[in-house]
Amino acid sequence: PAGSIRIGLLNEKGEPIPGRAVADCVPIVGDFLDVQVRWTNGSDIGVRDNQQIRLQVEMKDARLYGFQFVP
């Protein structure tokens, strides 16, 4: 069976950002060098400039070698 990765965004208090929680993330399944994280209602991270966020990464039988934010 293939592994999967899901990404969630948390605010500065560690609370999930509505619509951007791990539960809202479309699982990434497969071997990719370039894939965009998507949530059930889109891929925009919904975060304003200068707003601190934390990433929550859920992995099942997967490896994550790096990530990048692209404007």
Coordinates of all heavy atoms in Angstrom, one line a residue:
P1 N 0.8 -1.2 0.0 CA 0.0 0.0 0.0 C 0.9 1.3 0.0 O 1.9 1.3 0.6 CB -0.8 -0.1 1.3 CG -0.1 -1.1 2.1 CD 0.7 -2.0 1.2
A2 N 0.4 2.3 -0.7 CA 1.1 3.5 -0.8 C 1.0 4.3 0.5 O -0.1 4.3 1.2 CB 0.6 4.3 -1.9
G3 N 2.0 5.1 0.8 CA 1.9 6.0 2.0 C 1.3 7.3 1.6 O 0.9 7.5 0.4
S4 N 1.1 8.2 2.5 CA 0.5 9.5 2.2 C 1.0 10.6 3.2 O 1.5 10.2 4.3 CB -1.1 9.4 2.4 OG -1.4 9.1 3.7
I5 N 0.9 11.8 2.8 CA 1.2 13.0 3.6 C 0.0 13.9 3.5 O -0.5 14.1 2.5 CB 2.5 13.6 3.1 CG1 3.7 12.7 3.2 CG2 2.8 14.9 3.8 CD1 5.0 13.2 2.6
R6 N -0.3 14.5 4.7 CA -1.3 15.6 4.7 C -0.6 16.7 5.5 O 0.1 16.5 6.5 CB -2.6 15.1 5.4 CG -3.3 14.1 4.6 CD -4.7 13.8 5.0 NE -4.8 13.5 6.4 CZ -6.0 13.4 7.1 NH1 -7.1 13.7 6.5 NH2 -6.0 13.2 8.4
I7 N -0.9 18.0 5.1 CA -0.4 19.1 5.8 C -1.5 20.0 6.3 O -2.5 20.2 5.7 CB 0.4 20.0 4.7 CG1 1.5 19.2 4.0 CG2 1.0 21.3 5.4 CD1 2.6 18.7 4.9
G8 N -1.3 20.5 7.5 CA -2.3 21.4 8.2 C -1.6 22.7 8.6 O -0.4 22.7 8.8
L9 N -2.3 23.7 8.6 CA -1.8 25.0 9.0 C -2.4 25.4 10.4 O -3.6 25.3 10.6 CB -2.1 26.1 8.0 CG -1.5 25.9 6.6 CD1 -1.9 27.1 5.7 CD2 0.0 25.7 6.6
L10 N -1.5 25.8 11.3 CA -1.9 26.2 12.6 C -1.6 27.7 12.8 O -0.6 28.2 12.3 CB -1.2 25.4 13.7 CG -1.3 23.9 13.5 CD1 -0.4 23.2 14.6 CD2 -2.7 23.4 13.6
N11 N -2.4 28.4 13.6 CA -2.1 29.8 13.9 C -1.0 29.9 15.0 O -0.5 28.8 15.4 CB -3.4 30.6 14.3 CG -4.0 30.1 15.6 OD1 -3.4 29.4 16.4 ND2 -5.3 30.4 15.8
E12 N -0.7 31.1 15.4 CA 0.4 31.3 16.4 C 0.1 30.6 17.7 O 1.0 30.4 18.5 CB 0.8 32.8 16.5 CG -0.4 33.6 17.0 CD -1.3 34.1 15.9 OE1 -1.1 33.9 14.7 OE2 -2.4 34.7 16.3
K13 N -1.2 30.3 18.0 CA -1.5 29.7 19.2 C -1.6 28.2 19.1 O -1.9 27.5 20.1 CB -2.9 30.2 19.7 CG -3.0 31.7 20.0 CD -4.4 32.1 20.4 CE -4.4 33.6 20.6 NZ -5.8 34.0 20.9
G14 N -1.3 27.7 17.9 CA -1.3 26.2 17.7 C -2.7 25.7 17.4 O -2.9 24.5 17.3
E15 N -3.6 26.6 17.0 CA -5.0 26.1 16.7 C -5.1 26.0 15.1 O -4.5 26.8 14.4 CB -6.0 27.2 17.1 CG -5.9 27.4 18.6 CD -6.6 28.7 19.0 OE1 -6.7 29.7 18.2 OE2 -7.0 28.8 20.2
P16 N -5.8 25.0 14.6 CA -5.9 24.9 13.2 C -6.6 26.1 12.6 O -7.5 26.7 13.1 CB -6.8 23.6 13.0 CG -6.7 22.9 14.3 CD -6.5 24.0 15.4
I17 N -6.1 26.5 11.4 CA -6.7 27.6 10.6 C -7.9 26.9 9.9 O -7.7 25.9 9.2 CB -5.7 28.2 9.6 CG1 -4.6 28.9 10.4 CG2 -6.3 29.1 8.7 CD1 -3.4 29.4 9.6
P18 N -9.1 27.5 10.1 CA -10.3 26.9 9.5 C -10.1 26.7 8.0 O -9.6 27.5 7.2 CB -11.4 28.0 9.7 CG -10.9 28.7 10.9 CD -9.4 28.7 10.8
G19 N -10.5 25.5 7.5 CA -10.3 25.1 6.1 C -8.9 24.7 5.7 O -8.7 24.2 4.6
R20 N -8.0 24.8 6.6 CA -6.6 24.4 6.3 C -6.0 23.4 7.3 O -4.8 23.3 7.5 CB -5.7 25.7 6.3 CG -6.1 26.7 5.2 CD -6.0 26.1 3.8 NE -6.4 27.0 2.8 CZ -7.6 26.9 2.2 NH1 -8.4 25.9 2.5 NH2 -7.9 27.7 1.2
A21 N -6.9 22.7 8.0 CA -6.4 21.7 9.0 C -6.0 20.5 8.3 O -6.3 20.3 7.1 CB -7.6 21.4 10.0
V22 N -5.3 19.6 9.0 CA -4.9 18.3 8.4 C -6.1 17.6 7.9 O -6.0 17.0 6.8 CB -4.1 17.5 9.5 CG1 -4.0 16.0 9.0 CG2 -2.7 18.1 9.8
A23 N -7.2 17.6 8.6 CA -8.4 16.9 8.2 C -9.0 17.4 6.9 O -9.7 16.7 6.1 CB -9.5 17.0 9.3
D24 N -8.6 18.7 6.5 CA -9.1 19.3 5.3 C -8.2 19.1 4.1 O -8.5 19.4 3.0 CB -9.3 20.8 5.5 CG -10.2 21.2 6.6 OD1 -11.3 20.6 6.6 OD2 -9.9 22.1 7.4
C25 N -7.0 18.5 4.4 CA -6.0 18.4 3.3 C -6.3 17.2 2.4 O -6.6 16.1 2.9 CB -4.6 18.2 4.0 SG -3.3 18.1 2.8
V26 N -6.1 17.3 1.1 CA -6.2 16.2 0.2 C -4.9 15.4 0.3 O -3.9 16.0 0.1 CB -6.4 16.7 -1.3 CG1 -6.5 15.6 -2.2 CG2 -7.7 17.6 -1.3
P27 N -5.0 14.2 0.6 CA -3.7 13.4 0.8 C -2.9 13.4 -0.4 O -3.3 13.3 -1.5 CB -4.2 12.0 1.1 CG -5.6 12.2 1.6 CD -6.2 13.3 0.9
I28 N -1.6 13.5 -0.2 CA -0.6 13.4 -1.2 C -0.1 12.0 -1.2 O 0.5 11.5 -0.2 CB 0.6 14.4 -1.0 CG1 0.1 15.8 -1.0 CG2 1.7 14.2 -2.1 CD1 1.1 16.9 -0.5
V29 N -0.3 11.3 -2.3 CA 0.0 9.9 -2.4 C 0.9 9.7 -3.7 O 0.5 10.2 -4.8 CB -1.2 9.0 -2.6 CG1 -0.9 7.5 -2.7 CG2 -2.1 9.2 -1.4
G30 N 2.0 9.1 -3.6 CA 2.9 8.9 -4.7 C 4.3 9.5 -4.5 O 4.6 10.1 -3.4
D31 N 5.1 9.4 -5.5 CA 6.5 9.9 -5.4 C 6.6 11.1 -6.3 O 6.5 11.0 -7.5 CB 7.4 8.8 -5.9 CG 8.9 9.0 -5.7 OD1 9.2 10.0 -5.0 OD2 9.7 8.3 -6.2
F32 N 6.8 12.3 -5.7 CA 6.8 13.5 -6.4 C 8.0 14.4 -6.0 O 8.5 14.3 -4.9 CB 5.6 14.4 -6.0 CG 4.3 13.8 -6.4 CD1 3.5 13.1 -5.4 CD2 3.8 13.8 -7.7 CE1 2.3 12.5 -5.7 CE2 2.6 13.3 -8.0 CZ 1.8 12.6 -7.0
L33 N 8.5 15.1 -7.0 CA 9.5 16.2 -6.7 C 8.9 17.5 -6.6 O 9.5 18.5 -6.1 CB 10.6 16.2 -7.9 CG 11.4 14.9 -7.9 CD1 12.4 15.0 -9.1 CD2 12.2 14.7 -6.7
D34 N 7.7 17.7 -7.2 CA 7.0 19.0 -7.2 C 5.5 18.8 -7.1 O 4.9 18.3 -8.1 CB 7.4 19.7 -8.4 CG 6.8 21.1 -8.5 OD1 6.3 21.6 -7.5 OD2 6.9 21.8 -9.6
V35 N 4.9 19.0 -6.0 CA 3.5 18.8 -5.8 C 2.9 20.0 -5.0 O 3.6 20.4 -4.0 CB 3.1 17.5 -5.3 CG1 3.6 17.3 -3.9 CG2 1.6 17.2 -5.3
Q36 N 1.8 20.5 -5.3 CA 1.2 21.6 -4.5 C 0.2 21.0 -3.5 O -0.6 20.1 -3.8 CB 0.4 22.5 -5.5 CG -0.2 23.7 -4.8 CD -0.8 24.7 -5.8 OE1 -1.1 24.3 -6.9 NE2 -1.0 25.9 -5.4
V37 N 0.3 21.4 -2.3 CA -0.7 21.0 -1.2 C -2.0 21.6 -1.5 O -2.1 22.8 -1.9 CB -0.2 21.4 0.2 CG1 -1.2 21.1 1.2 CG2 1.2 20.8 0.5
R38 N -3.0 20.8 -1.4 CA -4.4 21.2 -1.7 C -5.3 20.8 -0.5 O -5.1 19.8 0.1 CB -5.0 20.7 -3.0 CG -4.2 21.1 -4.2 CD -4.7 20.5 -5.5 NE -6.1 20.0 -5.5 CZ -7.1 20.7 -6.0 NH1 -6.9 21.9 -6.5 NH2 -8.3 20.3 -6.0
W39 N -6.2 21.7 -0.2 CA -7.2 21.3 0.8 C -8.6 21.2 0.1 O -8.7 21.5 -1.1 CB -7.3 22.4 1.9 CG -6.1 22.5 2.7 CD1 -5.8 21.8 3.9 CD2 -4.9 23.2 2.5 NE1 -4.6 22.0 4.3 CE2 -4.0 23.0 3.5 CE3 -4.5 24.1 1.5 CZ2 -2.7 23.5 3.6 CZ3 -3.2 24.7 1.6 CH2 -2.4 24.4 2.6
T40 N -9.6 20.7 0.7 CA -10.8 20.4 0.1 C -11.5 21.6 -0.6 O -12.2 21.5 -1.6 CB -11.9 19.8 1.1 OG1 -12.0 20.7 2.2 CG2 -11.4 18.4 1.5
N41 N -11.1 22.8 -0.2 CA -11.7 24.0 -0.8 C -10.6 24.9 -1.4 O -10.8 26.1 -1.5 CB -12.5 24.8 0.2 CG -11.7 25.3 1.4 OD1 -10.5 24.9 1.5 ND2 -12.3 26.0 2.3
G42 N -9.5 24.3 -1.9 CA -8.5 25.0 -2.7 C -7.1 24.9 -2.2 O -6.8 24.1 -1.3
S43 N -6.2 25.6 -2.8 CA -4.8 25.5 -2.4 C -4.2 26.8 -1.8 O -3.1 26.8 -1.3 CB -4.0 25.1 -3.7 OG -4.1 26.1 -4.7
D44 N -5.0 27.9 -1.9 CA -4.5 29.2 -1.3 C -4.4 28.9 0.2 O -5.3 28.4 0.9 CB -5.5 30.3 -1.5 CG -5.1 31.6 -0.9 OD1 -3.9 32.0 -1.0 OD2 -6.0 32.2 -0.2
I45 N -3.2 29.3 0.8 CA -3.0 29.1 2.2 C -3.9 30.0 3.1 O -4.0 29.7 4.3 CB -1.6 29.1 2.7 CG1 -1.0 30.5 2.4 CG2 -0.8 28.1 1.9 CD1 0.4 30.7 3.0
G46 N -4.4 31.0 2.6 CA -5.4 31.9 3.4 C -4.7 32.6 4.5 O -5.3 32.9 5.5
V47 N -3.4 32.9 4.4 CA -2.7 33.6 5.4 C -2.2 35.0 4.9 O -1.8 35.1 3.8 CB -1.4 32.8 5.8 CG1 -0.6 33.5 6.8 CG2 -1.9 31.4 6.4
R48 N -2.3 36.0 5.7 CA -1.9 37.3 5.4 C -0.4 37.5 5.7 O 0.2 36.8 6.5 CB -2.8 38.3 6.1 CG -4.2 38.1 6.0 CD -4.9 39.4 5.7 NE -6.4 39.3 5.7 CZ -7.1 38.9 4.6 NH1 -6.5 38.6 3.6 NH2 -8.4 38.9 4.7
D49 N 0.2 38.5 5.0 CA 1.6 38.9 5.3 C 1.8 39.1 6.8 O 0.9 39.7 7.5 CB 1.9 40.2 4.5 CG 2.0 39.9 3.0 OD1 2.2 38.7 2.6 OD2 2.0 40.8 2.2
N50 N 2.9 38.8 7.2 CA 3.4 39.0 8.6 C 2.6 38.2 9.6 O 2.7 38.4 10.8 CB 3.4 40.4 9.0 CG 4.3 41.2 8.1 OD1 5.4 40.8 7.8 ND2 3.9 42.4 7.7
Q51 N 1.7 37.3 9.2 CA 1.0 36.4 10.1 C 1.8 35.1 10.3 O 2.2 34.5 9.4 CB -0.4 36.0 9.5 CG -1.2 35.2 10.5 CD -2.6 34.9 9.9 OE1 -2.9 35.3 8.7 NE2 -3.4 34.1 10.6
Q52 N 2.1 34.8 11.5 CA 2.9 33.6 11.8 C 2.0 32.4 11.7 O 0.8 32.4 12.2 CB 3.5 33.7 13.2 CG 4.5 34.7 13.4 CD 5.1 34.7 14.8 OE1 4.8 33.9 15.6 NE2 6.0 35.6 15.0
I53 N 2.5 31.3 11.1 CA 1.8 30.0 11.0 C 2.8 28.9 11.4 O 4.0 29.1 11.4 CB 1.2 29.8 9.6 CG1 2.3 29.7 8.6 CG2 0.2 30.8 9.3 CD1 1.9 29.2 7.2
R54 N 2.2 27.8 11.8 CA 3.0 26.6 12.0 C 2.4 25.5 11.1 O 1.3 25.5 10.7 CB 2.7 26.1 13.5 CG 3.2 27.1 14.5 CD 2.9 26.6 15.9 NE 3.2 27.6 16.9 CZ 3.1 27.4 18.2 NH1 2.7 26.2 18.6 NH2 3.4 28.3 19.0
L55 N 3.3 24.6 10.7 CA 2.9 23.5 9.9 C 2.7 22.3 10.7 O 3.5 22.0 11.6 CB 4.0 23.2 8.8 CG 4.3 24.2 7.8 CD1 5.4 23.7 6.9 CD2 3.0 24.4 6.9
Q56 N 1.6 21.5 10.4 CA 1.4 20.3 11.1 C 1.5 19.2 9.9 O 0.7 19.3 8.9 CB 0.0 20.2 11.7 CG -0.3 18.9 12.4 CD -1.6 18.9 13.1 OE1 -2.4 19.8 12.9 NE2 -1.9 17.9 13.8
V57 N 2.4 18.3 10.1 CA 2.6 17.3 9.0 C 2.2 15.9 9.5 O 2.7 15.5 10.6 CB 4.1 17.3 8.5 CG1 4.3 16.2 7.4 CG2 4.5 18.7 8.1
E58 N 1.3 15.3 8.8 CA 0.9 13.9 9.2 C 1.4 13.0 8.0 O 1.1 13.2 6.9 CB -0.7 13.8 9.2 CG -1.2 12.4 9.5 CD -2.7 12.3 9.4 OE1 -3.2 12.2 8.2 OE2 -3.3 12.5 10.4
M59 N 2.2 12.0 8.4 CA 2.7 11.1 7.4 C 2.4 9.7 7.8 O 2.5 9.3 9.0 CB 4.3 11.3 7.4 CG 4.7 12.6 7.0 SD 6.4 12.8 6.6 CE 7.3 12.1 7.9
K60 N 2.0 8.9 6.8 CA 1.7 7.5 7.0 C 2.6 6.7 6.0 O 2.4 6.8 4.8 CB 0.3 7.1 6.8 CG -0.6 7.8 7.9 CD -2.1 7.4 7.7 CE -2.9 8.0 8.8 NZ -4.3 7.7 8.6
D61 N 3.6 5.9 6.5 CA 4.4 5.2 5.6 C 5.0 6.1 4.5 O 5.0 5.7 3.3 CB 3.7 4.0 5.0 CG 3.3 3.0 6.0 OD1 4.0 2.8 7.0 OD2 2.1 2.5 5.9
A62 N 5.5 7.2 4.9 CA 6.0 8.2 3.9 C 7.3 8.9 4.4 O 7.6 8.8 5.6 CB 4.9 9.3 3.6
R63 N 8.0 9.5 3.4 CA 9.2 10.3 3.8 C 9.0 11.7 3.1 O 8.5 11.8 2.0 CB 10.4 9.7 3.2 CG 10.7 8.3 3.8 CD 12.0 7.8 3.3 NE 12.4 6.5 3.9 CZ 12.3 5.4 3.2 NH1 12.0 5.4 1.9 NH2 12.6 4.3 3.8
L64 N 9.4 12.7 3.9 CA 9.3 14.1 3.4 C 10.7 14.6 3.4 O 11.4 14.7 4.5 CB 8.4 14.9 4.3 CG 8.3 16.4 4.0 CD1 7.7 16.6 2.6 CD2 7.5 17.1 5.1
Y65 N 11.2 15.0 2.3 CA 12.6 15.4 2.1 C 12.8 17.0 2.1 O 13.8 17.5 2.4 CB 13.3 14.8 0.9 CG 13.4 13.3 1.0 CD1 12.6 12.5 0.4 CD2 14.5 12.8 1.8 CE1 12.7 11.1 0.5 CE2 14.6 11.4 1.9 CZ 13.7 10.6 1.2 OH 13.9 9.2 1.4
G66 N 11.7 17.7 1.9 CA 11.8 19.1 1.8 C 10.5 19.7 1.4 O 9.6 19.0 1.0
F67 N 10.4 21.0 1.7 CA 9.2 21.8 1.2 C 9.6 23.2 1.0 O 10.6 23.7 1.4 CB 8.0 21.7 2.3 CG 8.4 22.3 3.6 CD1 8.1 23.6 3.9 CD2 9.0 21.5 4.6 CE1 8.4 24.2 5.1 CE2 9.3 22.1 5.8 CZ 9.0 23.4 6.1
Q68 N 8.7 23.9 0.2 CA 9.0 25.3 -0.1 C 7.7 26.0 -0.3 O 6.7 25.5 -0.8 CB 9.7 25.3 -1.5 CG 10.0 26.6 -2.0 CD 10.7 26.5 -3.4 OE1 11.0 25.4 -3.9 NE2 11.1 27.6 -4.0
F69 N 7.7 27.3 0.2 CA 6.5 28.2 0.0 C 6.9 29.0 -1.3 O 7.9 29.6 -1.3 CB 6.3 29.1 1.2 CG 5.8 28.4 2.4 CD1 6.6 28.0 3.4 CD2 4.4 28.3 2.5 CE1 6.1 27.3 4.5 CE2 3.9 27.6 3.6 CZ 4.7 27.2 4.6
V70 N 5.9 29.0 -2.2 CA 6.1 29.8 -3.4 C 5.0 30.8 -3.6 O 3.8 30.4 -3.5 CB 6.1 28.8 -4.7 CG1 6.3 29.6 -5.9 CG2 7.2 27.8 -4.5
P71 N 5.4 32.1 -3.8 CA 4.3 33.1 -3.9 C 3.5 32.9 -5.2 O 3.8 32.3 -6.1 CB 5.1 34.4 -4.0 CG 6.5 34.1 -4.2 CD 6.7 32.6 -3.9

